[in-house]
Amino acid sequence: MNFEVLPGPSLAELARTAVASAPAATVSCVSATGSASPGGNWWPGAGGSPGGGASLGDSASLGASASLGARGSLVATVMMRAGPAGQPVLMPADGSLAARYLAGRRGSVTVSVPAALPYSALRLRGTVRPGRAAGPPRYDVELQSAEFAGASPAPVPLAQYRAAEPDPLWRQAPGILRHLGHGHMTELIACARAHGLRAAEWVTPTGLDRFGLKLLVFAADGITEARLSFPDGPVASFSQVPASLRAVLACRCRTAPDGPAGGTGDAGG
């Protein structure tokens, strides 16, 4: 692998990868009327009237993954998957606070998922619509905007987001990065020094994508972000990574606590 100035994934690719790899999301929304439910301060089906049923202000009824705030705002952790065009598909537990809230939702919601450095999160804003009439609750989010949050926020044009694909290595990347960080620190430091960062004292692998490996290189005089590009350029699958590099990325050494978790077969995007 070589250090070089090589374009990495686009913002749209990073966003699609963040959504594809997130098993859950933080969903937040505020009622336009200042009430936590469209019809007032009581959930439909929770008793039918203020005289019988659970008040939305009763924190004991909320559960550990959801809470109500001022003006009827909801913040909840909800299971999620990516739809065909990258739209979040929210899958709250049947009968949960989040499911009941989303069932009556008419305004916009914000869906937040973790994002790779230098960003802290990807925030997707859109409107909710039921994904299907039968079975467990599913809610598609029709996107209105997408933006990476961080010290320098970065908006993602929706046309580019919908046209992009998740990185082909997104399933393998988390396990490989854990594996390299726990089991191959000496080799990473030597590699950084061999490619010109001679003062490297510690290296943290922060990303693996079709372009190569991203590293944070720590030295006495500061921190440098570096990219080790694949010798033959971007790859379309893990099988296209040169065999010598694949042997290191996917080795079965036992120095890492959980090995190269997540598997290394081509599972598709």
Side-chain angles (χ1 to χ4, degrees), residues 100-203:
R100 287 178 283 163
Y101 193 105
L102 293 170
R105 186 68 188 161
R106 296 296 180 268
S108 61
V109 301
T110 299
V111 178
S112 300
V113 297
L117 293 173
Y119 306 109
S120 58
L122 172 68
R123 292 176 182 160
L124 304 156
R125 188 174 178 83
T127 56
V128 174
R129 62 179 177 83
R132 62 187 181 189
R138 300 286 185 272
Y139 300 94
D140 290 349
V141 178
E142 296 182 345
L143 293 179
Q144 299 170 332
S145 66
E147 182 179 69
F148 281 105
S152 299
V156 182
L158 287 184
Q160 295 179 22
Y161 177 85
R162 294 186 179 106
E165 295 287 343
D167 188 86
L169 305 186
W170 72 265
R171 287 182 174 88
Q172 296 93 346
I176 289 174
L177 293 173
R178 288 194 300 270
H179 171 67
L180 291 176
H182 284 101
H184 293 278
M185 182 57 59
T186 300
E187 292 94 323
L188 289 173
I189 294 172
C191 185
R193 291 174 177 172
H195 286 89
L197 298 175
R198 303 187 185 285
E201 297 178 357
W202 193 264
V203 176

Side-chain angles (χ1 to χ4, degrees), residues 18 27-28 56 91 109 112 114 118 133 153 156 173 187 192 215 223 226-227:
V27 179
S28 57
L56 292 174
M91 302 181 294
V109 301
S112 300
V156 182
E187 292 94 323
L215 306 172
I223 302 172
R227 178 177 283 278

Side-chain angles (χ1 to χ4, degrees), residues 3-32:
F3 280 117
E4 58 180 271
V5 178
L6 178 73
S10 67
L11 284 176
E13 287 179 284
L14 289 174
R16 289 293 300 267
T17 301
V19 172
S21 58
T26 299
V27 179
S28 57
C29 39
V30 178
S31 172

Side-chain angles (χ1 to χ4, degrees), residues 57-73:
D58 182 1
S59 61
S61 68
L62 301 184
S65 62
S67 62
L68 292 170
R71 299 188 69 249
S73 61

